Amino acid sequence: MRKARQHALEARLARGTLVTLSVLAAACDRALPTADELDRMTAATVTAAAGKSALIDTSNVIYYVNDVATAKDAANAIVPDSIVSVSVTRIANAAGEIRITTRK
């Protein structure tokens, strides 16, 4: 009985490891943006990329520009040359926050 229990535990562990490795392989398969794509990145392209990767629900995003809550249209109007950094965070219920820091 002990051997059967140990065998079942090992089989379950092996299946769990295979699932974990599959998820990891799929995550690593995602293409990172090129330097050119990063240079042209805007709030709209960040939102689209986060939605495509299922990181956030793009219909429920809160935008912040320099730590001030901002309307989507205002965030999308920021030209790429003035963006210093962009941060995407998943919050409750797959809603998202996109925080943009601009040159001051």
Side-chain angles (χ1 to χ4, degrees), residues 3-100:
K3 254 187 176 177
R5 188 178 279 171
Q6 183 177 359
H7 181 69
L9 179 61
E10 288 172 354
R12 206 172 345 160
L13 181 60
R15 283 192 304 271
T17 301
L18 286 175
V19 169
T20 302
L21 289 174
S22 297
V23 169
L24 184 59
C28 291
D29 192 39
R30 299 215 188 263
L32 295 174
T34 65
D36 187 49
E37 290 170 333
L38 289 173
D39 287 342
R40 293 181 286 124
M41 197 164 274
T42 65
T45 59
V46 168
T47 303
K52 189 184 236 184
S53 67
L55 177 64
I56 60 172
D57 173 5
T58 58
S59 67
N60 193 10
V61 177
I62 303 167
Y63 294 88
Y64 294 89
V65 176
N66 298 325
D67 294 323
V68 177
T70 306
K72 177 181 179 177
D73 293 338
N76 287 339
I78 299 171
V79 295
D81 289 342
S82 67
I83 296 175
V84 174
S85 68
V86 177
S87 169
V88 178
T89 305
R90 183 180 199 167
I91 53 180
N93 299 323
E97 279 185 356
I98 296 182
R99 294 184 173 269
I100 301 168

